[in-house]
Amino acid sequence: MEIRYIRPEEAADYQKVSAASFIWKFDEKIDSTIDIPVLAAFHEGKLIAGVEVFDFRTNYCGKFFDSVVVSGVCSQPEYRRMGGIREVMKEIGKTAIENDWMFGFLHPFSIEYYEKFGYANLNRMFSIKIPFEKLKNIPRNTDAVLYTGEQFEDLSELHAKCALRENLMTLREEKKHFCDTPYESADYTYIRYDKNGVADGYVRFTVKRPELLDVEELFALSPEAVYGLIGFLRNYDGIVKNIRVKKQYQGCDFACIADRIDGISYDYDQGVAGRIYNLKKLLENNAYPEKYGKFRLRCIDEFEQNNGIFEVEYQDGKAVVTYKSDGDYDISLTAAAASRLLLAGEGHTAQTAIYIDGVEIKGDADDFFRAFPYRHTRFVDSSWSI
């Protein structure tokens, strides 16, 4: 089986495989090209499976690192169970070091399926639905500016500030990552500015009359900005009954505000799956406690760069990481378990981690768990255009 990136003339072949996998109608005039890199599997010269591959810079502990986002995972039904997707995912891992990808992300249709490739569910985000009548205590305002593309620098800089506040958020450094065609697409983004004229929050939404104002994204730098954006959205309460805010998690800004409101409902989604591709680099760049600690982590991984013993000794927020191919350890993790404990920000302890598949605690691992406390974590790439 051959694994490689497709050539321009093979775009239609990939699109047909995608159409057969996800059941959509292929149009020769529209779907014969693709601008996204596609890594594909070929059996006897025929394209049988493929994935779309994106590069993003992603925040981890206050620094941005290169990451890979995998999307559009598909395979021709009659060629399934031949290992096409497995070989493609293996190739991504093999080339991660040369591409400097520290970790990877995808939106899984099945958590169990992608655990085979070392991916783990990181955080099941949820949507919060609130009747507009429950928000009457938040004053209406008109303090927001419609994004049309002219304010790209303001919006990109604001998003970068928001991304630094939450682990695993990605930068948006190109115009295509924001919707600048509100009237044509009925997809609106509004920016709020503080009293000094600096952007401090934005909201992206669609309206489904008469029931729902759907907030795809709401990011802000202060409580005033959050309340200000919600107050602005109240201008729509004459044409819709409810507001739904997506991509929330327990402890994030709007979720904390919503906790005090009666009559709300929550709807959980499948979440995002992540995978560590360069464990040593991640351990070296983790934000550690000031107090001294050390641990020995064994990782069981099909990729050579991650498989082995990592001895970590930390103090004053930094660590020295030593790799050994074999040796004694305090805690052993499969690739998927490592991805969850080190990336999800759930703040596990030895008492809770033992219930996660792939975790073995052999010695005193308290210093390991102190090094990975609860962290505000929200992976968001660009649902508008990636």
Side-chain angles (χ1 to χ4, degrees):
M1 189 176 296
E2 181 186 12
I3 309 297
R4 61 171 173 81
Y5 284 93
I6 66 170
R7 305 182 183 104
E9 63 270 21
E10 295 169 326
D13 295 334
Y14 167 73
Q15 297 280 43
K16 290 176 182 177
V17 172
S18 176
S21 294
F22 299 115
I23 314 302
W24 54 271
K25 295 180 180 180
F26 174 83
D27 187 325
E28 191 79 38
K29 296 180 180 179
I30 300 173
D31 302 313
S32 292
T33 62
I34 188 167
D35 296 329
I36 304 159
V38 173
L39 186 62
F42 295 82
H43 174 67
E44 296 180 349
K46 178 180 176 60
L47 196 158
I48 63 168
V51 305
E52 297 165 19
V53 180
F54 303 88
D55 286 312
F56 276 97
R57 293 173 64 206
T58 303
N59 175 36
Y60 183 74
C61 294
K63 300 177 185 177
F64 289 98
F65 298 93
D66 290 335
S67 63
V68 58
V69 178
V70 177
S71 181
V73 180
C74 59
S75 59
Q76 191 73 21
E78 62 268 33
Y79 288 94
R80 287 176 183 169
R81 307 199 68 80
M82 290 182 62
I85 293 299
R86 175 174 289 280
E87 292 303 313
V88 168
M89 298 299 285
K90 188 181 295 184
E91 182 66 17
I92 290 174
K94 287 179 180 179
T95 59
I97 296 297
E98 61 190 72
N99 288 315
D100 201 27
W101 294 329
M102 193 163 82
F103 29 46
F105 304 96
L106 53 80
H107 295 273
F109 73 89
S110 164
I111 297 298
E112 184 179 4
Y113 176 77
Y114 283 106
E115 281 183 345
K116 300 175 183 178
F117 309 128
Y119 280 80
N121 191 57
L122 300 184
N123 52 347
R124 289 186 182 274
M125 291 185 283
F126 51 82
S127 301
I128 302 174
K129 185 178 179 181
I130 307 175
F132 260 120
E133 64 181 17
K134 299 291 185 179
L135 300 174
K136 291 181 178 179
N137 64 315
I138 300 177
R140 290 189 185 90
N141 67 76
T142 55
D143 301 329
V145 177
L146 178 64
Y147 176 70
T148 59
E150 295 180 5
Q151 313 94 330
F152 170 71
E153 287 189 9
D154 288 350
L155 188 52
S156 181
E157 289 176 8
L158 170 60
H159 185 84
K161 292 176 184 177
C162 294
L164 274 173
R165 294 158 60 95
E166 297 179 282
N167 252 17
L168 306 188
M169 273 191 65
T170 62
L171 289 178
R172 294 183 182 172
E173 301 173 290
E174 299 178 59
K175 280 192 173 183
K176 68 177 183 178
H177 294 151
F178 300 102
C179 178
D180 59 5
T181 56
Y183 301 114
E184 295 84 354
S185 62
D187 193 312
Y188 293 86
T189 298
Y190 276 86
I191 308 172
R192 182 188 184 276
Y193 291 84
D194 65 17
K195 60 183 180 181
N196 297 315
V198 178
D200 66 354
Y202 78 90
V203 61
R204 177 186 158 225
F205 63 93
T206 57
V207 177
K208 301 171 183 176
R209 300 171 63 185
E211 291 298 324
L212 191 65
L213 188 151
D214 230 357
V215 176
E216 293 291 338
E217 295 181 345
L218 189 157
F219 294 113
L221 298 177
S222 68
E224 292 78 16
V226 177
Y227 281 108
L229 290 169
I230 297 301
F232 173 76
L233 293 177
R234 282 200 61 216
N235 290 306
Y236 292 87
D237 63 8
I239 60 172
V240 288
K241 300 176 183 178
N242 305 287
I243 178 174
R244 179 172 63 183
V245 182
K246 298 180 179 180
K247 300 172 185 169
Q248 300 297 293
Y249 62 92
Q250 201 65 38
C252 74
D253 45 19
F254 183 75
C256 288
I257 294 172
D259 279 345
R260 302 177 57 251
I261 301 173
D262 295 325
I264 67 175
S265 59
Y266 296 86
D267 184 20
Y268 281 80
D269 64 23
Q270 184 77 325
V272 173
R275 204 240 198 263
I276 299 170
Y277 283 118
N278 191 334
L279 180 55
K280 188 173 187 290
K281 184 174 182 177
L282 184 139
L283 290 170
E284 290 171 337
N285 287 281
N286 184 53
Y288 290 93
E290 295 296 311
K291 183 181 177 182
Y292 175 83
K294 64 178 180 179
F295 60 84
R296 297 165 298 175
L297 163 65
R298 181 180 76 162
C299 185
I300 304 170
D301 198 321
E302 65 176 311
F303 299 126
E304 183 179 351
Q305 66 264 25
N306 290 349
N307 192 58
I309 309 295
F310 295 84
E311 296 184 351
V312 180
E313 193 168 4
Y314 63 81
Q315 191 171 18
D316 299 328
K318 299 180 180 179
V320 175
V321 181
T322 304
Y323 170 79
K324 296 180 178 180
S325 60
D326 198 8
D328 206 359
Y329 56 89
D330 303 310
I331 183 169
S332 175
L333 304 174
T334 61
S339 297
R340 180 169 179 180
L341 290 185
L342 277 61
L343 293 180
E346 295 171 321
H348 283 282
T349 65
Q351 186 176 356
T352 60
I354 57 175
Y355 295 98
I356 297 174
D357 189 50
V359 176
E360 177 199 357
I361 299 176
K362 185 178 178 182
D364 182 354
D366 287 351
D367 285 349
F368 168 83
F369 291 108
R370 284 200 303 116
F372 298 96
Y374 172 81
R375 288 170 175 152
H376 289 286
T377 302
R378 173 162 46 181
F379 174 81
V380 178
D381 46 19
S382 171
S383 56
W384 167 248
S385 172
I386 55 176

